[in-house]
Amino acid sequence: VELAFAQPAELKIKDGQGKWLLREIVKELIGEGLALAPKRPLQTPQREWIAHNLFSLFNQKVISFSDLNFIKKNEVLENWNSYLAGKQENSFYIWQWVNSLNFTN
């Protein structure tokens, strides 16, 4: 890390392209198209995990989570029922609720 930070600016950014030196090094290994590709967000398949392999666990956890005194039960269950009805863009929140519950119990 220190070596990377110690490099001069012209090796880090060139013609508006960040990570210039790294991209130049890997061009021969992975090809220019991939080496110059823009950054992409990492997406986890939590939506599919919740819907399939982890469904029974999540259903149980969401129900028990909604019974906690400091949680608005109606809102939690409304989001869960919305997820079950196919509106799965809220899977991130459900994933976070269940994982936070695992740390509080």
Side-chain angles (χ1 to χ4, degrees), residues 1-43:
V1 173
E2 289 179 17
L3 178 62
F5 282 123
Q7 299 306 306
E10 58 270 10
L11 292 180
K12 296 178 194 176
I13 301 173
K14 190 170 189 176
D15 298 327
Q17 180 70 56
K19 301 180 186 174
W20 182 81
L21 181 60
L22 179 61
R23 292 174 192 272
E24 285 297 309
I25 293 169
V26 300
K27 270 185 189 179
E28 291 182 30
L29 298 173
I30 62 173
E32 187 170 335
L34 193 55
L36 298 176
K39 195 174 192 177
R40 293 182 210 112
L42 173 66
Q43 296 181 359

